[in-house]
Amino acid sequence: MFSEKEFLQAVADNQLIIHKVCNLYMDTRRDREDLMQEILLNAWKGVKNFKGEAKFSTWLYRVALNTAITYFKKDRKQAAVVSTQVVDPQLPADTMPHNDQLDAMNKAIFHLSKIDKAIVTLYLDEFDYQQISEIMGISVNHVAVKMNR
């Protein structure tokens, strides 16, 4: 079980995961900030279920992706604000390399379906098909099919 301080530290240590998901799924700063709040809220509510069977970063990735995928499906209710002192919704410019190929790849990924975005992003972050299937809750074969397409 995480204390609030331990949770905030774990999130701070893995904040690039949240930034990546927010930047991948949302195109405006406000939407990224809203999604970030929703991810943090869901992570805080769900941390009591974190059993430590996977790394915290893997668990947080799953929470972030599942939140992003379902974000617009549910009614946007006013959520309680989780303290985000340790998380800035904008990545510092020097942490995101920019070049034409990277920009083209990011634009192509942005146009994928929500599930495909998640799979490709996990793959680019060097998760293997087994890990992707566990995070996404789909079969390894389904991951392979999606990647081949």
Side-chain angles (χ1 to χ4, degrees):
M1 187 70 145
F2 280 84
S3 69
E4 182 177 350
K5 183 177 179 179
E6 292 169 328
F7 173 78
L8 290 173
Q9 185 59 52
V11 168
D13 293 344
N14 293 283
Q15 68 180 316
L16 289 178
I17 291 169
I18 299 171
H19 289 296
K20 184 181 294 186
V21 170
C22 291
N23 287 328
L24 185 64
Y25 281 87
M26 300 296 154
D27 56 353
T28 68
R29 180 183 174 106
R30 181 171 180 185
D31 287 342
R32 285 190 296 269
E33 290 171 351
D34 289 347
L35 178 57
M36 178 175 291
Q37 290 296 322
E38 194 72 17
I39 290 168
L40 290 170
L41 179 62
N42 286 341
W44 177 246
K45 286 197 275 186
V47 76
K48 64 184 174 282
N49 299 322
F50 177 67
K51 296 179 176 88
E53 294 170 358
K55 293 190 297 185
F56 182 82
S57 60
T58 302
W59 176 83
L60 184 60
Y61 223 137
R62 184 175 196 162
V63 170
L65 288 171
N66 287 334
T67 301
I69 289 168
T70 60
Y71 184 63
F72 287 111
K73 289 183 181 178
K74 60 184 173 179
D75 293 333
R76 286 193 191 179
K77 296 178 182 172
Q78 188 67 17
V81 177
V82 174
S83 173
T84 58
Q85 303 170 21
V86 295
V87 182
D88 180 4
Q90 288 293 331
L91 284 175
D94 59 356
T95 65
M96 292 291 290
H98 289 286
N99 65 46
D100 292 338
Q101 286 182 324
L102 184 61
D103 290 342
M105 181 184 71
N106 286 333
K107 285 179 186 175
I109 291 171
F110 187 79
H111 293 291
L112 294 173
S113 73
K114 292 179 181 190
I115 300 294
D116 291 347
K117 269 186 209 180
I119 292 170
V120 168
T121 301
L122 289 166
Y123 181 78
L124 291 173
D125 280 341
E126 299 180 358
F127 286 90
D128 62 31
Y129 286 7
Q130 179 64 43
Q131 293 169 314
I132 295 170
S133 76
E134 291 169 7
I135 291 170
M136 297 299 299
I138 59 178
S139 71
V140 175
N141 188 50
H142 192 96
V143 172
V145 168
K146 289 285 199 177
M147 286 303 297
N148 282 327
R149 289 185 182 160

